[in-house]
Amino acid sequence: MKPITIIKTGSTFPDIKTNHDDFETWIAKGLGHATRAIEIIDVTLHHPLPQPDSLAGAVITGSHDNVTDNPHYCSELESWIRRMVISEAPLLGICFGHQIIAKALGGVVDFHPVSLEVGTKEIQLLEPGQKDMLFQGMPDRFKAHVFHSQSIRKLPEKAVVLAKNSFEPYQAVRFAPRTWGVQFHPEADDAIAKCYLFHLADNIRKSGQSLNQLIAQLEKTPYAAALLEQFGRILSAME
């Protein structure tokens, strides 16, 4: 049985890691496939990327890096993403992962022209999303946690927008038949989301938003969380 690979592009804040583990743990738990091997490839530590045909599929994590800073691992990761798309091995990018897939395929990523998007927000599933296998069984509107100041500003060719909201037009995108990205965080629960709000407090205030209001608006996000489990089911169905 081929493994699922989690491409780790960074770590959470140290105190969150101590109390809640790290990005890859949240994603592995969300996938819900304990009987399948999950391997972690940390590109920030120069771990070699696997051959696409050796994988059941892969998830690219979020990161505290900015795509526009072109971290040292990005060139190799972008090349690998293009190989994954050609191989049609299922691939899901989250936040930074979503953005780096877009860049690898010819899109443009930059800072959002308004401010950062943080907290629990409503996501609207569009008609293509309602028909997409990754969003099977999802309602037309659902809540998700978001934490980002950069966004996809221009989509790659042939990309299909699956979900949006009033702040972010590309909350979910199908970049290729088996390649998806989501700007929101299906792996983060409300406790993790609250921790992030406190860490981003200065940036939140500078953006003119209320930290207390954002904390009060936090909700559980079961539908967003179900997305990772659905991705795991897709991997099993395709083997």
Side-chain angles (χ1 to χ4, degrees):
M1 184 178 290
K2 294 180 179 179
I4 300 170
T5 293
I6 297 174
I7 307 298
K8 181 176 169 63
T9 60
S11 289
T12 189
F13 295 104
D15 62 308
I16 298 179
K17 185 174 180 179
T18 298
N19 294 311
H20 300 281
D21 292 317
D22 209 347
F23 299 150
E24 67 273 21
T25 305
W26 309 341
I27 291 169
K29 181 179 178 181
L31 288 168
H33 277 244
T35 58
R36 183 187 293 273
I38 294 179
E39 59 181 18
I40 312 300
I41 303 295
D42 190 338
V43 292
T44 71
L45 299 178
H46 304 279
H47 291 178
L49 289 159
Q51 292 299 318
D53 60 5
S54 71
L55 308 177
V59 181
I60 304 175
T61 72
S63 177
H64 293 176
D65 290 335
N66 289 321
V67 170
T68 55
D69 291 336
N70 196 31
H72 68 84
Y73 53 83
C74 275
S75 178
E76 185 178 357
L77 180 57
E78 289 174 38
S79 176
W80 178 82
I81 287 166
R82 291 189 286 270
R83 296 199 304 274
M84 284 288 286
V85 171
I86 291 169
S87 76
E88 295 192 348
L91 176 63
L92 173 66
I94 297 172
C95 196
F96 178 94
H98 169 67
Q99 296 166 10
I100 200 67
I101 292 173
K103 183 174 181 286
L105 300 179
V108 175
V109 176
D110 209 336
F111 286 95
H112 194 281
V114 177
S115 65
L116 71 164
E117 185 183 34
V118 290
T120 306
K121 303 297 181 183
E122 185 173 78
I123 310 296
Q124 178 187 353
L125 197 60
L126 303 175
E127 185 176 354
Q130 294 167 6
K131 300 175 182 177
D132 189 89
M133 70 175 84
L134 184 61
F135 288 87
Q136 182 178 330
M138 295 279 279
D140 293 348
R141 294 179 183 272
F142 59 93
K143 296 294 182 68
H145 301 310
V146 292
F147 305 96
H148 68 107
S149 57
Q150 293 205 326
S151 301
I152 298 170
R153 307 310 304 152
K154 180 182 177 182
L155 288 172
E157 291 185 12
K158 300 182 180 179
V160 178
V161 181
L162 305 178
K164 67 173 186 176
N165 66 4
S166 58
F167 185 92
E168 175 56 63
Y170 309 133
Q171 285 286 357
V173 176
R174 185 175 64 242
F175 295 102
R178 295 183 182 178
T179 301
W180 296 269
V182 292
Q183 184 58 68
F184 57 88
H185 285 274
E187 80 284 19
D189 62 22
D190 53 318
I192 292 166
K194 187 175 183 179
C195 292
Y196 262 88
L197 289 179
F198 282 114
H199 272 282
L200 298 172
D202 287 344
N203 290 333
I204 288 169
R205 293 188 185 100
K206 288 176 183 177
S207 72
Q209 301 179 71
S210 166
L211 175 62
N212 289 337
Q213 185 177 32
L214 289 169
I215 291 172
Q217 292 171 346
L218 285 174
E219 297 181 27
K220 295 186 182 299
T221 57
Y223 286 110
L227 197 76
L228 280 173
E229 189 171 359
Q230 176 62 9
F231 186 68
R233 285 193 288 266
I234 289 171
L235 302 185
S236 294
M238 288 183 174
E239 272 210 328

